[in-house]
Amino acid sequence: MKLIHRLEPLLWMIFGAGGYQLALLLPGLVLGVGLLGGLGFLPLEYERLHALASSAVGKPFLAGFLIGLFWHCCHHLRHLILDLGGERAAAPGAYFSYALAIVATAATVQVLVVL
Amino acid sequence: MSENASPTPVAPARPPSGFPLAHARYRNYVLFALTSVFMFVGGVGLLLGVRALGQGPEAWAQYLDALGHPAVLALSLAVFGFSVYFTLRWMWIGRKIMVGRVGPVPGPPIPMAGLGLGGIALCFATGIGVLLLLGGVL
C-alpha cells in the first residue's frame, strides 16, 4: 500500500483526465457502436473504420482513450469498494482495482500493436 | 519533522450514519461511483471492437452481429444510460474545478450554472461529432 499511497497524486490526475475523456466521448461511442451499430441504423463499414483506427492519429488516440477509461474506472471502483466495505476493504480493494487496470492496459496495448 | 516524532493520532474513519442508502445524496454518490463498473464494461466492449477490426472483415462482421443480440443491446443501453448520467454529473461537478477558485480570487465572469451547462453542451456536441465520424459523414 505504501507504493499506492505514494502514487496517489498521479492516480488522481489520471482519474481527472480520464473523466473528461469519458464525459466527452463515451456516450457518443456507445450510442454509435453499441446501440445504433448493433441495431444496424449506422453503417459501420470495416474499411473506413479500420483505416481510421489504425492511422497515425487513430492508434495513439485509442490508446489514450481506452487506457484513460480503464484507469479512471478502476480508481473509482477502488473508492466504491472502500466506501462500501470500510477500512478492512481498503488494501484488497486497491490491489484488485489496480490489478484490473494493469490487465486492461496490457490487453489494450496488445490489441493496438496487432491493429 | 524529527525522526522520533510520533504520528498524529487520528480517529478511525467511519461511514456517515445511514450510508449508503438512507439519503438521496448518498444514493446519488454511490450511483455515480457505480457508473465506473458499467463504463469499464463499455470500454471492454469497445476494445473487443478494436480487436475485431485488427482481425479482419469477417471478425468485424461477427462483432456487429454480436452487438445486435438482445442481451448485448440491453447491456449497451445500460452502459449508455450510466455514461450519460456520468457526463451530466461530472460536468456539473467539474464546473467548480474549472473555476479553480482558491482564496480571495475574483468570481468567474460567467455564472457557475453557465459553466456547467456549457460543459454539458460541449459533451453533447462532441457526441454528435463522434456519431458523424462513425457514420462516415465527417
Side-chain angles (χ1 to χ4, degrees):
Chain A
M1 284 299 284
K2 259 188 182 173
L3 177 65
I4 290 176
H5 285 311
R6 211 180 281 174
L7 291 174
E8 287 285 356
L10 180 67
L11 294 169
W12 280 107
M13 196 176 75
I14 296 171
F15 173 78
Y20 277 103
Q21 283 182 3
L22 288 180
L24 282 167
L25 298 168
L26 191 65
L29 282 170
V30 174
L31 179 64
V33 177
L35 290 171
L36 297 178
L39 290 167
F41 293 146
L42 200 65
L44 299 176
E45 295 151 6
Y46 174 80
E47 285 77 15
R48 190 171 44 78
L49 290 180
H50 182 264
L52 198 64
S54 60
S55 67
V57 176
K59 267 194 188 186
F61 168 80
L62 282 172
F65 174 71
L66 288 170
I67 291 171
L69 179 156
F70 290 133
W71 279 89
H72 169 94
C73 290
C74 290
H75 188 67
H76 214 166
L77 179 65
R78 171 194 169 192
H79 287 276
L80 176 65
I81 293 170
L82 178 63
D83 288 335
L84 296 179
E87 201 57 39
R88 275 180 311 167
Y95 293 138
F96 170 74
S97 303
Y98 295 131
L100 195 62
I102 289 168
V103 169
T105 300
T108 305
V109 170
Q110 191 197 9
V111 164
L112 289 175
V113 165
V114 174
L115 184 68
Chain B
M1 194 199 301
S2 102
E3 295 238 339
N4 297 327
S6 60
T8 307
V10 290
R14 54 188 181 143
S17 152
F19 185 83
L21 298 174
H23 304 291
R25 195 174 283 265
Y26 295 167
R27 290 193 291 272
N28 223 1
Y29 175 84
V30 173
L31 192 65
F32 182 56
L34 197 61
T35 59
S36 62
V37 176
F38 285 88
M39 294 196 304
F40 187 93
V41 171
V44 171
L46 291 173
L47 184 60
L48 289 174
V50 177
R51 190 181 70 156
L53 279 177
Q55 288 173 337
E58 282 182 17
W60 179 247
Q62 282 176 355
Y63 175 73
L64 290 181
D65 279 347
L67 286 180
H69 190 278
V72 180
L73 280 172
L75 186 62
S76 296
L77 191 62
V79 172
F80 177 65
F82 273 97
S83 63
V84 169
Y85 172 73
F86 171 85
T87 296
L88 296 176
R89 195 173 150 99
W90 183 267
M91 283 300 171
W92 197 245
I93 295 169
R95 76 197 198 280
K96 297 174 187 173
I97 303 166
M98 285 187 271
V99 171
R101 201 149 39 134
V102 179
V105 176
I110 53 173
M112 290 291 278
L115 275 177
L117 293 174
I120 291 167
L122 179 66
C123 291
F124 183 77
T126 311
I128 299 286
V130 168
L131 287 179
L132 293 175
L133 193 66
L134 286 172
V137 178
L138 288 181

